Amino acid sequence: MLHTLVDHAKRLNLHAEAGFIPKVVRWLIEFDETGRFLGVIEQSDPEGGRRKGRAFQKAPNLKFSGDSPLRQFLVDTAHYALLYGVEKPDKKLLAKHGFFLDLLHQAATADPVFAVLFDALSEDTIRSKICVALEERKAKPPDNVTFAVHSADGGVRVPVEESCWHDWWREFFPTLLPEKGGNQGDMVCLLTGKLTEAARTHPKIKGLGGVGGKVETAMVAFNEDAFESYGLSQSYNAAVGKQAAEQYAATLNHLIEHNSVTLAGAKVVYWYDRQVERGDDPVQSLLTGIDFGEAEVSDKEQEQAEPSERDVAQAEDRARALLDAIRTGKRPDLADSRYYAVTLSGNSARVVVRDWMEGQFTELAENIAAWFEDLAIVRRDGVDLVRSHKFAAVLAAAVRDLKDIPGPSVAALWHAAIRQRPIPHNLAAQTLARVKIDVIQDDSPRHARLGLLRAFLVRNGDTDMKPHLNEDHPSPAYHCGRLLAVLAYIQYVALGDVGAGVVQRYYAAASATPALVLGRLARTAQFHLDKIADKKIRFGLDKRLAEIWGRIDDSIPSTLTLEQQTIFALGYYHQKAYRGPSADSE
């Protein structure tokens, strides 16, 4: 896995190097060439994202413990760089602030611009003016700051984005952190296979704080005698060159920030072995899909949240067009590429790799296309099909709230989508229970729930389970569900809204033991039919009842298995959503 990250670093043009990492800066402190303070400018994401600040891809970085007197060079928090937010700094804070200033003083040997910054920031009056300006802009002490210097000819230098200090820093920062115990000498790097100086400690992985890890978490680390062999301490037990360690860590951090999704206590990180545009990314279509208002409460709100038919068609057309282009040879660049996906969580200070997948891009695209096809279900209004379900909506199908779904269930559905695996029986049972509750409470049926039930049946061999009504389905359970829908409609046409009607009172029993319920309900329906004044509607409903009874062939099952109850639920839903030539029958 790690060697694919090192390869990907080159594709991302991430020039990972010890002593350098990308950093996000919130505030730019401006001076003129004499060191006169000009003001502060809030930085924003140039890509228009939600990130508060501007990312500098090659900022200086020191690794040290929290109680160390060391601080960062050139980019640091306003708290340490300016003593911002502190009325009476203690000795430790003053020492850290002094170290920050001293680094600027040392860097003046590489470029005079750092002497200007050192002199300005050493003046308490100037520093106080900066703090006042930051306070007016509602800056926070942990916000990162860096500096800009305006020249007399109108030019502006932002040293952190220049390379004038790089060579000096490469030579200087190792003297600040000499490795304890020295280095082990040249070893064979497990990632590159080359003889190189191995890293004693590896860079930390960020972004796993919300999934069990700390702010910075170690991917490779050894801290117990039992983990050490042949006298090798710390990460020398898994020899990785310093450059390769920086590359895999920088790439993984980049992917966690830009190409990951959090799913039930874990982060799924994925990438490709070549450039794939967002519009061509099948995983993005899986994760984003179309929002069909599944999480809304009222029918009115659901209707307002429904996407337009044009939006749905465009989303589905893009997915099909991409797969067709790959199959017909129009996109050889994608056909020959590979995908990689790793599921990560944290165990305090350690990264936990929970899952790893890789394969051909074509296979991935086909599997995700099959996922959408198997999940396809007729819309509740019977007008069209819903295919592009959001993955989060499918995850939530089996539970009352998305946060309630356990990790193993998330992993099972992720594999079902990416690897075209079957839907587990326990998830189908939980989803069926939620559908039953929706029906009994007369809530609008959620497309993702019905779609997941259909995918469960299709992937278990039921090729007759169409996304819409199939009058020729061979299972009596399917037609029992249809029958209940028609009986409920007959009652509604004859009596109007009676509150707790046929469905609310009998759906649970009919879906488990139809023989005990449906015959009695059918006899009652004859009285309801007699009350329908419109002869055409009465005749159509009576005809539909007879047609469904003919499909059952007087063999109503006494009990239904889990799979049969699922078929019953879909038969009921399909019949309710049906808007064909005889729609007046239900």
Side-chain angles (χ1 to χ4, degrees):
M1 181 191 82
L2 296 184
H3 77 275
T4 63
L5 290 169
V6 172
D7 292 340
H8 196 55
K10 301 170 185 175
R11 289 187 289 273
L12 292 174
N13 200 27
L14 292 178
H15 301 293
E17 183 181 353
F20 301 87
I21 63 169
K23 288 186 178 181
V24 176
V25 174
R26 182 73 182 274
W27 303 99
L28 190 67
I29 315 298
E30 295 192 307
F31 301 93
D32 68 12
E33 60 184 358
T34 67
R36 184 170 62 91
F37 171 59
L38 300 178
V40 299
I41 299 178
E42 185 172 7
Q43 302 296 285
S44 59
D45 189 346
E47 297 180 358
R50 296 182 179 180
R51 179 174 55 197
K52 294 183 178 181
R54 172 184 171 190
F56 292 95
Q57 295 304 316
K58 201 164 186 178
N61 184 61
L62 275 177
K63 296 184 292 184
F64 50 81
S65 60
D67 59 352
S68 169
L70 306 182
R71 282 313 304 167
Q72 300 295 341
F73 166 57
L74 192 52
V75 176
D76 207 339
T77 67
H79 180 66
Y80 292 111
L82 304 164
L83 299 179
Y84 176 64
V86 181
E87 291 185 5
K88 295 182 179 181
D90 57 24
K91 291 182 179 180
K92 289 185 177 180
L93 180 56
L94 288 173
K96 292 174 181 287
H97 173 65
F99 186 85
F100 175 82
L101 293 179
D102 186 60
L103 288 179
L104 292 175
H105 180 64
Q106 298 274 3
T109 59
D111 194 297
V113 71
F114 295 107
V116 174
L117 296 175
F118 170 76
D119 291 339
L121 295 174
S122 298
E123 291 288 339
D124 289 342
T125 55
I126 294 179
R127 185 180 54 76
S128 297
K129 289 181 181 179
I130 298 172
C131 290
V132 170
L134 289 172
E135 188 172 2
E136 290 174 350
R137 303 295 298 275
K138 297 183 179 180
K140 298 179 181 179
D143 291 346
N144 274 349
V145 301
T146 193
F147 311 98
V149 177
H150 291 249
S151 60
D153 60 4
V156 182
R157 295 186 58 188
V158 182
V160 70
E161 64 182 0
E162 299 178 349
S163 60
C164 60
W165 50 272
H166 286 186
D167 289 340
W168 167 82
W169 181 245
R170 290 185 181 100
E171 295 182 7
F172 185 75
F173 89 86
T175 65
L176 300 172
L177 296 168
E179 290 193 348
K180 298 178 181 179
N183 67 66
Q184 191 66 30
D186 287 346
M187 303 177 73
V188 176
C189 175
L190 295 177
L191 303 188
T192 65
K194 299 178 180 179
L195 200 62
T196 185
E197 182 182 350
R200 185 181 182 87
T201 59
H202 289 202
K204 297 296 191 293
I205 306 303
K206 302 176 181 179
L208 300 181
V211 291
K214 293 186 176 181
V215 176
E216 293 188 338
T217 316
M219 173 68 79
V220 178
F222 300 81
N223 62 349
E224 299 290 343
D225 293 342
F227 304 150
E228 299 177 355
S229 304
Y230 303 104
L232 298 175
S233 62
Q234 293 188 298
S235 297
Y236 290 142
N237 287 273
V240 174
K242 290 183 175 181
Q243 183 69 10
E246 293 287 341
Q247 287 177 325
Y248 88 69
T251 306
L252 190 53
N253 285 329
H254 176 87
L255 291 171
I256 288 173
E257 181 179 358
H258 297 285
N259 254 49
S260 72
V261 60
T262 302
L263 300 174
K267 274 193 183 292
V268 176
V269 183
Y270 71 97
W271 65 99
Y272 304 99
D273 68 353
R274 63 194 63 190
Q275 180 68 29
V276 174
E277 298 298 329
R278 189 176 180 86
D280 294 334
D281 186 348
V283 176
Q284 276 299 313
S285 66
L286 172 67
L287 296 174
T288 55
I290 291 288
D291 185 357
F292 292 94
E294 305 286 41
E296 304 298 328
V297 177
S298 69
D299 292 346
K300 182 178 180 181
E301 288 174 324
Q302 282 187 337
E303 184 177 350
Q304 292 173 344
E306 293 284 341
S308 68
E309 293 182 20
R310 178 182 177 184
D311 290 338
V312 176
Q314 286 180 346
E316 294 173 356
D317 287 346
R318 283 196 302 269
R320 287 194 290 266
L322 173 64
L323 190 55
D324 289 342
I326 294 173
R327 288 170 175 167
T328 57
K330 295 178 181 178
R331 294 298 302 273
D333 57 319
L334 296 180
D336 295 335
S337 66
R338 294 182 65 80
Y339 75 91
Y340 307 95
V342 59
T343 304
L344 304 173
S345 62
N347 181 8
S348 187
R350 295 285 192 277
V351 175
V352 179
V353 179
R354 296 172 56 174
D355 188 41
W356 167 253
M357 288 188 286
E358 63 175 294
Q360 292 293 330
F361 184 94
T362 305
E363 176 190 5
L364 174 68
E366 289 178 344
N367 288 347
I368 292 179
W371 169 258
F372 287 134
E373 195 62 37
D374 293 345
L375 284 170
I377 195 75
V378 65
R379 286 173 62 129
R380 59 178 75 93
D381 59 9
V383 174
D384 207 342
L385 298 184
V386 176
R387 287 190 177 91
S388 299
H389 301 276
K390 279 187 176 182
F391 191 68
V394 180
L395 288 179
V399 291
R400 185 176 63 177
D401 193 278
L402 182 57
K403 66 177 183 293
D404 297 330
I405 189 166
S409 296
V410 176
L413 286 176
W414 181 250
H415 277 264
I418 301 296
R419 291 282 180 86
Q420 206 172 346
R421 301 280 174 79
I423 309 299
H425 279 67
N426 67 310
L427 278 176
Q430 294 170 26
T431 305
L432 183 63
R434 298 309 310 178
V435 168
K436 188 179 296 184
I437 292 171
D438 289 342
V439 171
I440 293 172
Q441 294 181 348
D442 199 23
D443 291 335
S444 293
R446 297 191 181 185
H447 295 123
R449 282 180 176 157
L450 278 303
L452 187 59
L453 290 184
R454 177 174 176 264
F456 166 71
L457 294 172
V458 170
R459 296 194 174 192
N460 278 281
D462 187 352
T463 57
D464 294 296
M465 185 53 69
K466 308 300 181 186
H468 45 68
L469 181 67
N470 178 13
E471 295 178 341
D472 296 321
H473 196 286
S475 173
Y478 184 79
H479 300 289
C480 287
R482 293 180 60 205
L483 182 63
L484 183 63
V486 174
L487 293 173
Y489 188 73
I490 290 174
Q491 182 190 56
Y492 176 76
V493 174
L495 306 177
D497 188 358
V498 296
V502 168
V503 173
Q504 286 71 38
R505 296 172 63 187
Y506 296 107
Y507 182 90
S511 65
T513 55
L516 295 178
V517 179
L518 293 181
R520 178 157 48 94
L521 293 179
R523 289 191 293 273
T524 304
Q526 296 304 316
F527 297 103
H528 294 154
L529 280 170
D530 292 340
K531 295 182 179 181
I532 299 176
D534 190 311
K535 293 182 179 180
K536 182 179 180 181
I537 294 178
R538 184 170 65 246
F539 176 78
L541 290 170
D542 193 33
K543 181 180 178 182
R544 178 52 57 97
L545 273 179
E547 180 267 326
I548 295 176
W549 275 116
R551 299 288 179 181
I552 298 174
D553 195 25
D554 296 326
S555 58
I556 299 180
S558 57
T559 59
L560 298 181
T561 64
L562 168 66
E563 188 168 338
Q564 290 170 333
Q565 289 183 47
T566 304
I567 294 172
F568 179 99
L570 286 167
Y572 173 82
Y573 175 74
H574 284 163
Q575 190 66 47
K576 278 200 59 125
Y578 181 61
R579 297 294 181 271
S582 302
D584 60 349
S585 66
E586 72 277 358

